[in-house]
Amino acid sequence: MPTIRNPILPGFNPDPAFCRVGDDYYIATSTFEWYPGVQIHHSRDLANWRLVGRPLNRRSQLDMRGNPDSCGVWAPALTYADGLFWLIYTDVKRRLGNFKDTHNYLVTAPSIEGPWSDPVYMNSSGFDPSLFHDEDGRKWFVNMVWDHRRRRSSFDGILLQEYSATEQRLVGPIKNIFKGSPLGLVEGPHLWKRNGWYYLTVAEGGTAYNHAVTMARSRTIDGPYELHPNAHLITSKDAPDAPLQRAGHGFYVETSTGEVFHTHLCSRPLPGTRRSPLGRETAIQRVVWNEDGWLYLAQGGQVPALEVEGPDLPPHPFPPEPDRYDFDDGELPSVFQWLRTPEPDRIFSTTARPGHLRLYGRESIGSWFEQALVARRQTSWIYSAETSVEFQPETYQQLAGLICYYDRARFHYLAVSTGDDGGRVLQVISCLGDHPDALMTYALESDLPLPASGPVHLGVDVRQAELQFRWSMDGVTWTPVGPVLDASILSDEAGPGAHGSFTGAFVGMAAHDMTGRALPADFDFFRYREKPSSTI
């Protein structure tokens, strides 16, 4: 049988919900403030995956303008029943301080490609919702509940309530069915049933280095639930040298061949650090049912493996993703996303200038409302990216260029703008995440003068924690610009607190116009190449 190498979804792809429909397997992952919402990947062999859609793609389903960094879509849950796909998700409007505003919704579709319905509101008592379809046809909704009082733990357990599909609302009593293990911070609940037992897996320990998949079971859906003999099915919390760290939050699936697997999120810190620019990624583990009726990792122990034995299924590879996009077909390639807004026509166009991606400069770098930034995930420790931009700024308040971005407090930006004399210049602007007001630094002692007109080629080379920008007028002869910068700041762990940030590094194109005149910048292509061996 083939070997699966983890992570199966590299780069920012956390909170994997796992769903099988016949011979097809789907994983839904969180997208936070990036639009459209929820990534769904498809596989037929569990080793090879391709992105098939982002279902939350219109204003009626999702509008994240004003959502702070690392808010938005948390922990989707994807299931299939009654001829429909059911997708549950949270839109988080606040995450800092005592309170969290977490609104939970349901959308459905007859096919994974859609059309996806307008949302049904569920509740707002906590995050990480999931829907379970019982054998008797009843449907049950679970989510963690948030206690703002913080008298003990803010993570106050897992709530259960019935969902009425005919009334399209939650009905009946609400019960707290599980308070978690002594590890604490219980979230990410998923239910399923086997041999008369209701099984519950949850995420615990917070999504940093104490993360874990915890397992429990009960003869009745509303409990009481008893803990797994080991409490945790999957965790790296006691294995600091394991290649897959922060392991937790996933779901169980049985294949068409009767084999069983469990997804989980993980991260791969840069060597010698606890910083993971690739964010929280998706991995998969082979698990087995023991005679005691509990799941265990097939390799034994609790630590996730980098390589696992795949299922007895025919290999099903997909064509590789192109390394260059020329924006010739009038559609934004699916590898790219933007931030927050359901009105993309206000920030970019693929048709205004054929063969180019036109960005309309909007609000400032890091705006939580309307920022023209189109980017793709960093999926390798080592990569190079290039683009070419035509941009004629009229004032220093207008910038456009190549950006390596995590959030408003962590980015490196190689930008075309104007100098004091009104001529075009090249700037290197960074925000290092170490100041509460997200103050910027400028890496060049003085701006680099550019020709008055014509396209400017911009490039970046990232080698683990080192980031070097470069530029060229012809795209052939390149010159480094600025010093080597710290790429590790583009990571969850570079932010405040152990659980303060939840996304990952992106690289892409940006345009900002603080004058309000929406000056356009035209990007001719975008190229991204990575070193395959850097995925270890």
Side-chain angles (χ1 to χ4, degrees):
M1 286 181 279
T3 297
I4 299 175
R5 186 167 180 83
N6 282 312
I8 52 174
L9 303 182
F12 161 48
N13 276 289
D15 311 322
F18 205 1
C19 176
R20 174 190 154 216
V21 182
D23 295 327
D24 295 294
Y25 302 84
Y26 302 98
I27 290 177
T29 55
S30 301
T31 44
F32 291 81
E33 67 263 37
W34 291 89
Y35 210 95
V38 180
Q39 295 220 121
I40 298 180
H41 285 81
H42 168 241
S43 177
R44 291 210 156 197
D45 60 8
L46 303 189
N48 298 285
W49 296 83
R50 67 169 177 175
L51 181 68
V52 292
R54 298 188 186 100
L56 307 181
N57 57 18
R58 61 185 187 270
R59 184 174 182 175
S60 63
Q61 297 171 319
L62 184 66
D63 187 345
M64 297 185 291
R65 286 173 290 190
N67 285 18
D69 293 325
S70 286
C71 289
V73 176
W74 287 17
L78 181 68
T79 53
Y80 184 83
D82 308 325
L84 291 173
F85 287 93
W86 304 69
L87 179 67
I88 301 283
Y89 63 98
T90 307
D91 180 9
V92 178
K93 298 299 186 184
R94 174 180 174 171
R95 67 178 179 86
L96 296 178
N98 284 57
F99 294 97
K100 282 183 171 57
D101 293 310
T102 57
H103 308 308
N104 297 314
Y105 301 94
L106 163 68
V107 293
T108 60
S111 163
I112 202 69
E113 291 84 11
W116 289 88
S117 69
D118 280 345
V120 173
Y121 173 74
M122 306 296 275
N123 68 13
S124 299
S125 57
F127 49 87
D128 292 3
S130 184
L131 191 66
F132 168 63
H133 310 271
D134 209 342
E135 296 168 342
D136 60 4
R138 299 174 77 181
K139 302 183 187 301
W140 298 91
F141 184 86
V142 286
N143 64 272
M144 68 79 67
V145 60
W146 183 259
D147 185 347
H148 63 273
R149 300 170 299 176
R150 296 197 173 182
R151 293 175 179 171
R152 295 177 297 276
S153 171
S154 299
F155 295 73
D156 196 33
I158 304 302
L159 297 186
L160 174 79
Q161 189 176 15
E162 188 171 1
Y163 174 71
S164 169
T166 56
E167 299 177 57
Q168 292 194 316
R169 65 184 183 94
L170 296 174
V171 297
I174 303 169
K175 184 174 182 180
N176 195 321
I177 62 170
F178 186 63
K179 290 283 189 172
S181 79
L183 182 60
L185 304 181
V186 60
E187 57 186 336
H190 291 291
L191 279 166
W192 78 93
K193 193 174 185 181
R194 181 180 184 269
N195 292 342
W197 288 99
Y198 290 94
Y199 287 92
L200 176 68
T201 54
V202 297
E204 284 197 300
T207 193
Y209 287 84
N210 282 329
H211 212 200
V213 174
T214 301
M215 190 174 183
R217 71 181 181 185
S218 172
R219 285 295 186 184
T220 58
I221 195 166
D222 60 352
Y225 280 82
E226 62 176 299
L227 274 174
H228 189 287
N230 298 330
H232 314 304
L233 172 62
I234 304 169
T235 185
S236 304
K237 67 183 180 67
D238 301 315
D241 296 326
L244 302 179
Q245 289 292 315
R246 301 166 71 191
H249 200 136
F251 193 56
Y252 157 92
V253 154
E254 182 173 325
T255 70
S256 57
T257 53
E259 301 159 280
V260 285
F261 291 83
H262 204 290
T263 57
H264 63 94
L265 69 77
C266 65
S267 73
R268 293 173 291 162
L270 291 169
T273 78
R274 281 203 162 191
R275 288 187 173 183
S276 311
L278 303 183
R280 297 173 304 151
E281 308 173 280
T282 286
I284 193 170
Q285 302 297 321
R286 178 181 278 271
V287 290
V288 294
W289 286 106
N290 207 340
E291 292 179 356
D292 62 1
W294 291 102
L295 280 178
Y296 295 85
L297 289 179
Q299 70 267 23
Q302 297 168 293
V303 180
L306 199 62
E307 293 186 346
V308 298
E309 182 183 279
D312 187 16
L313 295 170
H316 194 88
F318 298 104
E321 187 71 31
D323 66 6
R324 179 180 169 115
Y325 300 92
D326 290 301
F327 308 118
D328 288 333
D329 62 2
E331 296 288 338
L332 185 70
S334 62
V335 71
F336 293 103
Q337 285 183 276
W338 61 94
L339 289 163
R340 294 182 175 85
T341 178
E343 298 182 5
D345 291 348
R346 284 185 51 81
I347 62 170
F348 70 83
S349 173
T350 55
T351 58
R353 183 179 176 186
H356 293 75
L357 176 65
R358 171 165 289 181
L359 298 188
Y360 301 102
R362 294 294 180 185
E363 293 178 337
S364 59
I365 310 170
S367 167
W368 290 345
F369 291 87
E370 195 170 52
Q371 182 183 179
L373 192 159
V374 173
R376 58 151 295 152
R377 285 158 177 74
Q378 178 183 338
T379 52
S380 171
W381 284 342
I382 300 177
Y383 77 88
S384 296
E386 295 99 30
T387 190
S388 172
V389 61
E390 291 187 55
F391 185 57
Q392 294 296 135
E394 301 162 352
T395 166
Y396 59 81
Q397 290 183 303
Q398 298 166 332
L399 309 94
L402 178 66
I403 194 164
C404 299
Y405 186 88
Y406 183 91
D407 63 14
R408 74 180 186 92
R410 282 163 280 182
F411 60 80
H412 297 298
Y413 190 7
L414 181 60
V416 177
S417 188
T418 65
D420 290 337
D421 63 358
R424 289 201 310 173
V425 297
L426 198 57
Q427 300 173 334
V428 177
I429 310 169
S430 295
C431 196
L432 305 180
D434 56 0
H435 192 283
D437 295 324
L439 295 182
M440 297 188 306
T441 62
Y442 289 78
L444 301 177
E445 290 186 8
S446 59
D447 296 338
L448 179 67
L450 291 173
S453 62
V456 182
H457 293 258
L458 307 174
V460 65
D461 301 301
V462 172
R463 301 293 181 265
Q464 297 186 354
E466 296 184 346
L467 185 153
Q468 176 68 69
F469 282 124
R470 51 189 162 88
W471 77 287
S472 171
M473 288 304 295
D474 59 10
V476 177
T477 303
W478 291 87
T479 302
V481 55
V484 174
L485 302 171
D486 183 3
S488 76
I489 68 158
L490 309 174
S491 63
D492 298 349
E493 301 97 323
H499 317 107
S501 305
F502 310 115
T503 58
F506 281 69
V507 58
M509 301 151 285
H512 299 90
D513 185 351
M514 282 76 77
T515 72
R517 299 199 293 267
L519 187 71
D522 290 336
F523 293 84
D524 183 41
F525 70 92
F526 187 86
R527 189 174 188 183
Y528 175 92
R529 295 167 292 168
E530 61 186 33
K531 184 178 179 181
S533 63
S534 67
T535 58
I536 61 175

